[in-house]
């Protein structure tokens, strides 16, 4: 078998992992989840979830990945616990399902770049959303988005993924800072910041049960956890890298991008009527944001910039979602990278087509991933690393790290006790809401 590739540098890995983490989750879902869950109150719980649960969970995936040095399924076997391979397999499955609808939304973003330049959504943003989010236009745009993703993954880990993310991540940061600076000049800026940044702790206490599951789900999703992505990416990592230092850098940059997106979106929404319109779910955020751009001076060009940022973010995440099944199939069955990327990409494209029938299908895919697959995977990963492969894990996390043994022990106990409890609570509430949704006929 051919020699496995590795990242050309530590920074190359960080760019790729940040590329995976920074996505639709940060720039689109984070602001609209914040808007649906009480603004700053949600922000506080979300930040706690990212740093207290997300960061330690990222270390779990890094440890498995670097120790295993192979695709996420084989990794468990090479650590000496082949009977846990199904956990890696679950991540591969979740990646497939997620990419199927993620790419459809990526297609919407493409249509919004076109619409910003042509002015097509300025008059009636809701009708425009309807016309691009379903039917043939949506299928065609989904195909284009998927084709770009396939192209990058086929080009390989260093020549494709590393190269593409090294360009896209700085572009995202620079453009978002520019948009944030522009947003300070909007009439709604003060009201937007107020809503976004001054938490009402009473709201958190009163709505704890309804805020925690979306905050936790968002924390895992935005950090690309539970999908075996970080296992796959860490498998291309060298022995002298510090896992906690790299993970910390990734979590911080990812959080900064989400926060910056809020600094663009909230002033924008308050400049044109407040958040009410934006909090209702997947489509409403597109309609509200585009609607705001459509009414502001130079809105078309600024809207195009915003949607280009969103496109880069979505693409760099989509390639990580495709990399997981591609690395598994090509390593396991010995097919070439390009053949595998094309074949799997076409399969995933087809799997995504039903979500162009209507947003309730898309919500179904989304909720199955968020409320069910993702927390189950994280729970299993925490039990595996905390209780089964704990000696190997301690060994691995100390390798290349300057944090010392007490950091490693503290992390292990956190992973053994706190992470599982937090995830079980989330899983219970999430499954309950998925079940009631199905019974109530919300999806079909
Ligand atoms: N983290 C990405 C986002 O925020 C989504 C993603 C999830 C990517 C899981 C890869 C794996 O949009």
């Amino acid at each position: 078998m051919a020699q496995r590739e590795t990242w050309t540098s530590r920074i190359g890995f960080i760019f790729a992992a940040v590329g995976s983490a920074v996505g639709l989750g940060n720039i689109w879902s984070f602001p609209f989840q914040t808007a649906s869950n009480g603004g700053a109150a949600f922000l506080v719980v979300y930040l706690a979830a990212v740093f207290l649960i997300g960061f330690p969970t990222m270390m779990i995936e890094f440890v498995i990945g670097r120790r295993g040095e192979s695709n996420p399924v084989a990794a468990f076997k090479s650590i000496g616990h082949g009977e846990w391979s199904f956990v890696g397999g679950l991540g591969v499955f979740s990646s497939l399902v997620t990419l199927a609808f993620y790419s459809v939304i990526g297609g919407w973003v493409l249509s919004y770049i076109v619409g910003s330049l042509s002015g097509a959504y300025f008059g009636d943003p809701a009708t425009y959303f309807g016309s691009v989010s379903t039917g043939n236009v949506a299928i065609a745009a989904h195909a284009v988005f998927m084709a770009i993703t396939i192209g990058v993954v086929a080009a390989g880990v260093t020549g494709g993924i590393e190269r593409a993310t090294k360009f896209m991540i700085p572009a995202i940061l620079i453009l978002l800072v520019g948009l944030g600076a522009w947003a300070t000049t909007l009439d709604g800026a003060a009201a937007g910041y107020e809503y976004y940044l001054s938490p009402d702790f009473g709201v958190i206490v009163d709505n704890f049960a309804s805020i925690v599951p979306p905050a936790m789900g968002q924390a895992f999703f935005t950090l690309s956890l539970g999908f075996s992505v970080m296992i796959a990416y860490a498998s291309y990592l060298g022995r002298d890298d510090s896992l906690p230092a790299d993970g910390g850098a990734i979590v911080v940059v990812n959080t900064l991008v989400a926060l910056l997106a809020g600094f663009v979106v909230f002033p924008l929404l308050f400049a044109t009527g407040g958040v009410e319109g934006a909090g209702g779910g997947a489509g409403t955020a597109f309609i509200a944001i585009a609607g705001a751009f459509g009414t502001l001076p130079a809105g078309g060009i600024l809207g195009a910039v915003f949607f280009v940022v969103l496109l880069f973010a979505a693409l760099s995440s989509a390639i990580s979602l495709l990399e997981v099944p591609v690395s598994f199939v090509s390593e396991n069955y010995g097919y070439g990278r390009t053949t595998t990327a094309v074949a799997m990409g076409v399969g995933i494209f087809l799997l995504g087509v039903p979500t162009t029938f209507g947003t309730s299908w898309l919500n179904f895919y989304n909720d199955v991933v968020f409320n069910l697959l993702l927390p189950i995977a994280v729970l299993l990963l925490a039990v595996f690393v905390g209780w089964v492969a704990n000696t190997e894990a301690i060994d691995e996390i100390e390798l290349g790290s300057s944090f010392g043994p007490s950091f490693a022990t503290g992390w292990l106990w956190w992973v053994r006790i706190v992470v599982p409890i937090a995830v079980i609570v989330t899983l219970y509430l999430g499954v309950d809401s998925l079940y009631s949704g199905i019974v109530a006929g919300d999806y079909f």
Side-chain angles (χ1 to χ4, degrees):
M1 192 200 256
Q3 175 80 35
R4 278 189 111 236
E5 284 186 274
T6 52
W7 306 109
T8 53
S9 64
R10 172 172 179 227
I11 218 64
F13 163 68
I14 293 181
F15 270 119
V18 166
S20 172
V22 168
L24 295 169
N26 304 58
I27 300 169
W28 168 64
S29 156
F30 165 72
F32 95 67
Q33 297 259 22
T34 307
S36 338
N37 290 293
F42 177 82
L43 180 64
V44 172
V45 181
Y46 165 73
L47 289 176
V50 163
F51 287 98
L52 297 179
I53 308 296
F55 173 68
T57 303
M58 184 173 281
M59 293 304 101
I60 298 178
E61 294 207 14
F62 279 5
V63 160
I64 299 173
R66 189 173 66 176
R67 185 88 174 184
E69 275 190 306
S70 55
N71 67 73
V73 180
F76 289 84
K77 192 152 172 228
S78 66
I79 304 176
H81 298 279
E83 65 293 355
W84 283 77
S85 302
F86 74 96
V87 180
L90 180 63
V92 175
F93 177 73
S94 304
S95 296
L96 291 172
V97 178
T98 304
L99 183 53
F101 72 84
Y102 204 85
S103 167
V104 170
I105 303 173
W108 300 355
V109 177
L110 283 169
S111 299
Y112 271 91
I113 296 175
V114 176
S116 301
L117 297 173
S118 70
Y121 62 67
F122 290 8
D124 185 352
T127 306
Y128 186 76
F129 178 74
S131 68
V132 302
S133 64
T134 52
N136 291 340
V137 178
I139 295 177
H142 167 43
V144 173
F145 185 89
M146 206 58 221
I148 305 173
T149 308
I150 293 171
V152 176
V153 172
V157 170
T158 52
I161 300 178
E162 198 174 319
R163 221 175 31 196
T165 49
K166 262 190 177 162
F167 160 73
M168 288 194 283
I169 295 302
I172 290 171
L173 284 169
I174 293 168
L175 295 175
L176 263 187
V177 169
L179 285 171
W182 164 73
T184 61
T185 67
L186 295 173
D187 278 346
Y193 299 145
E194 160 84 21
Y195 177 78
Y196 182 35
L197 297 176
S198 36
D200 178 344
F201 288 95
V203 173
I204 304 182
V205 175
D206 293 345
N207 300 293
F208 196 70
S210 68
I211 293 183
V212 168
M216 289 275 288
Q218 175 66 19
F220 289 134
F221 189 79
T222 190
L223 294 173
S224 301
L225 300 171
F227 295 73
S228 299
V229 166
M230 292 301 174
I231 300 182
Y233 273 18
S235 76
Y236 304 114
L237 207 53
R239 292 258 159 262
D240 48 357
D241 269 308
S242 163
L243 300 181
D246 287 7
I250 294 160
V251 171
V252 167
V253 177
N254 182 63
T255 307
L256 275 178
V257 173
L259 290 176
L260 265 173
F263 278 106
V264 177
V265 169
F266 288 104
L268 190 66
L269 294 178
F270 275 90
T272 51
V275 289
E276 277 68 41
T284 50
F286 269 89
I287 298 170
I289 293 172
F293 278 119
T295 53
L296 292 166
I301 189 76
L302 291 161
V305 173
F306 177 83
F307 288 113
V308 165
V309 170
L310 199 51
L311 177 70
F312 285 167
L315 271 174
S316 62
S317 298
I319 54 190
S320 73
L321 286 166
L322 185 59
E323 171 62 20
V324 171
V326 166
S327 73
F328 166 62
V329 171
S330 65
E331 282 183 21
N332 218 31
Y333 302 101
Y335 299 124
R337 183 171 259 279
T338 308
T339 322
T340 316
V342 172
M344 304 234 50
V346 170
I348 292 168
F349 164 77
L350 294 174
L351 185 65
V353 168
T355 66
T356 65
F357 299 163
T359 39
S360 59
W361 277 82
L362 195 122
N363 290 340
F364 180 69
Y365 277 50
N366 183 76
D367 293 354
V368 168
V369 169
F370 259 77
N371 299 9
L372 192 67
L373 299 176
L374 206 164
I376 289 180
V378 173
L379 182 60
L380 290 168
L381 288 168
V383 171
F384 173 70
V385 158
W387 299 97
V388 181
N390 45 312
T391 353
E392 296 90 334
I394 289 278
D395 232 34
E396 193 61 40
I397 202 153
E398 285 184 0
L399 202 66
S401 142
S402 53
F403 284 72
S406 44
F407 171 84
T409 324
W411 167 74
L412 184 68
W413 281 96
W414 196 262
V415 167
R416 286 185 154 172
I417 314 278
V418 183
V419 173
I421 293 177
V423 178
I424 288 170
V425 172
T426 311
L427 185 62
Y428 170 75
L429 296 167
V431 169
D432 187 52
S433 98
L434 183 65
Y435 177 75
S436 10
I438 293 173
V439 174
D442 289 350
Y443 302 110
F444 310 105

